[in-house]
Amino acid sequence: MESEKSKILVFGGRGYLGKYMVKASVSMGHPTYVYVRPVDPSKLQLHHEFESMGVTIFQGELDEEEKMVAAVKQVDVVISTLAVPQHLEQFKIIHAIKQAPNIKRFVPSEFGNEVDRVSGLPPFQALMENKKRIRRATESAGIPFTYVSANSFAAYFVDFLLHPHQTLQHVSIYGNGDAKAVLNFEEDVAAYTIKASVDPRTCNRVIIYRPPGNIVSQLDLISSWEKKTGTTLQRTHISEQDIIKLSESLPFPENIPVAILHNIFIKGDQMSFELNANDLEASELYPEYKYTSVDKLLDIYLVNPPKPKLAAFA
């Protein structure tokens, strides 16, 4: 199927993950389309960059059903990278796809934990429940799908945990620091997703991104960074109980990132279940793709740290 070079449409293509997704699709030779809101001045440079890459740009709102259906009818694959506050807006994408029998695959916006196999503190659980609602609606509509469990974005969390842009001598550790997480570089998340979106083996399946070189604990990450920089960081542990209390006392949406930290770095949910013979794991499915390990990413940060990104939860 991949040799046919499917036409791929990305919703949220100007967002944090979306721009990586668009570039990965183009680099693999797929005719690439984006559906985005009418361009604002802050996104003009990226808009022009997409045009120079040959990307077809549809401008419209998610409420403009006719525009969405018209765009969806021109492609084979739909990938949504909409941010957390827009997750339930994907019902509108599903409704548009139902009117376009040409769609061979829908990849809804997940790119985190495998939501049908883990659970979290209430603020994070509510977010995962929304993702499950989109899964069930996709299945009920009979739309061919691939669900992507990409675990954690490596550049985002390396920046959050280590603050490499600053010359800090202090680092916070959530819990005891031993829980293993999976930190995947955003460019690799996009590349694996494009590959999976046109792969018959992943149709109506969940694919989990768990490359062995990206399984690390907070203590692993800190120790590696200390060795590479020749520094010793002062460590302050924030207890699980303190994190739970914060998740209960902070207002929405400030309580969500705290609950996410608990799930990933204290509870260790991303490595809480074993993969079995029926599971699809990205680095095993695509061994020819050379992913960026956490160790290699830290080397990049030593020379040219990627720009920090703030997550939006509301």
Side-chain angles (χ1 to χ4, degrees):
M1 183 176 178
E2 189 171 358
S3 61
E4 298 174 9
K5 297 306 176 186
S6 300
K7 297 176 181 178
I8 296 178
L9 170 64
V10 179
F11 282 85
R14 291 198 302 244
Y16 180 60
L17 181 62
K19 61 181 180 291
Y20 292 110
M21 203 70 68
V22 171
K23 292 174 182 178
S25 178
V26 171
S27 71
M28 294 183 198
H30 297 286
T32 304
Y33 304 70
V34 294
Y35 187 93
V36 294
R37 289 172 173 168
V39 67
D40 62 72
S42 66
K43 302 286 188 178
L44 201 55
Q45 182 177 345
L46 187 59
H47 185 90
H48 292 322
E49 185 178 349
F50 283 170
E51 288 180 327
S52 69
M53 293 162 57
V55 175
T56 300
I57 301 173
F58 300 112
Q59 295 191 48
E61 302 288 349
L62 293 174
D63 290 327
E64 296 183 274
E65 181 179 336
E66 288 186 10
K67 284 187 178 181
M68 286 179 58
V69 172
V72 167
K73 284 185 175 181
Q74 296 188 44
V75 301
D76 306 303
V77 174
V78 174
I79 299 175
S80 171
T81 60
L82 295 181
V84 169
Q86 294 180 290
H87 275 174
L88 295 183
E89 295 288 290
Q90 293 178 108
F91 285 123
K92 298 171 183 175
I93 298 176
I94 292 170
H95 184 67
I97 292 174
K98 286 168 66 176
Q99 301 175 63
N102 50 291
I103 294 301
K104 299 175 183 176
R105 196 77 57 87
F106 174 46
V107 182
S109 186
E110 292 203 13
F111 309 107
N113 287 11
E114 214 298 72
V115 297
D116 282 328
R117 293 166 82 166
V118 301
S119 61
L121 296 176
F124 186 35
Q125 186 62 38
L127 187 156
M128 291 194 287
E129 291 297 330
N130 285 343
K131 292 183 178 182
K132 288 198 273 188
R133 288 177 63 188
I134 296 300
R135 285 190 177 193
R136 304 294 88 85
T138 300
E139 294 157 12
S140 295
I143 298 169
F145 63 84
T146 297
Y147 300 146
V148 171
S149 172
N151 290 304
S152 299
F153 293 158
Y156 175 87
F157 276 107
V158 166
D159 182 80
F160 178 85
L161 295 170
L162 298 177
H163 307 286
H165 293 82
Q166 308 170 49
T167 55
L168 300 181
Q169 300 302 312
H170 173 271
V171 65
S172 295
I173 298 175
Y174 303 94
N176 61 23
D178 288 330
K180 296 290 186 180
V182 187
L183 306 184
N184 294 311
F185 188 35
E186 286 81 337
E187 290 184 9
D188 296 336
V189 171
Y192 279 139
T193 301
I194 296 301
K195 287 178 174 291
S197 73
V198 296
D199 187 341
R201 297 173 295 177
T202 62
C203 188
N204 295 335
R205 300 288 302 276
V206 176
I207 180 171
I208 298 171
Y209 300 177
R210 197 188 277 186
N214 292 346
I215 301 170
V216 294
S217 69
Q218 291 174 87
L219 295 181
D220 294 333
L221 198 63
I222 294 165
S223 295
S224 295
W225 187 245
E226 288 177 329
K227 290 176 183 178
K228 290 178 183 294
T229 58
T231 60
T232 300
L233 298 171
Q234 180 184 349
R235 307 177 185 198
T236 299
H237 287 262
I238 302 173
S239 72
E240 178 176 15
Q241 194 58 40
D242 285 343
I243 290 292
I244 292 173
K245 287 180 180 178
L246 280 173
S247 77
E248 294 170 342
S249 61
L250 286 172
F252 174 86
E254 287 86 355
N255 56 357
I256 297 176
V258 174
I260 291 174
L261 288 173
H262 177 271
N263 183 271
I264 298 173
F265 296 110
I266 296 178
K267 191 180 178 188
D269 246 2
Q270 292 177 348
M271 292 296 296
S272 65
F273 57 93
E274 295 290 332
L275 300 185
N276 57 49
N278 293 322
D279 286 312
L280 299 178
E281 196 284 312
S283 64
E284 293 184 0
L285 210 55
Y286 310 111
E288 76 287 351
Y289 180 77
K290 305 303 179 185
Y291 68 89
T292 302
S293 67
V294 170
D295 186 68
K296 290 178 183 176
L297 183 60
L298 292 181
D299 289 337
I300 294 172
Y301 266 92
L302 280 173
V303 179
N304 184 26
K307 185 178 179 181
K309 163 67 179 172
L310 297 176
F313 295 101

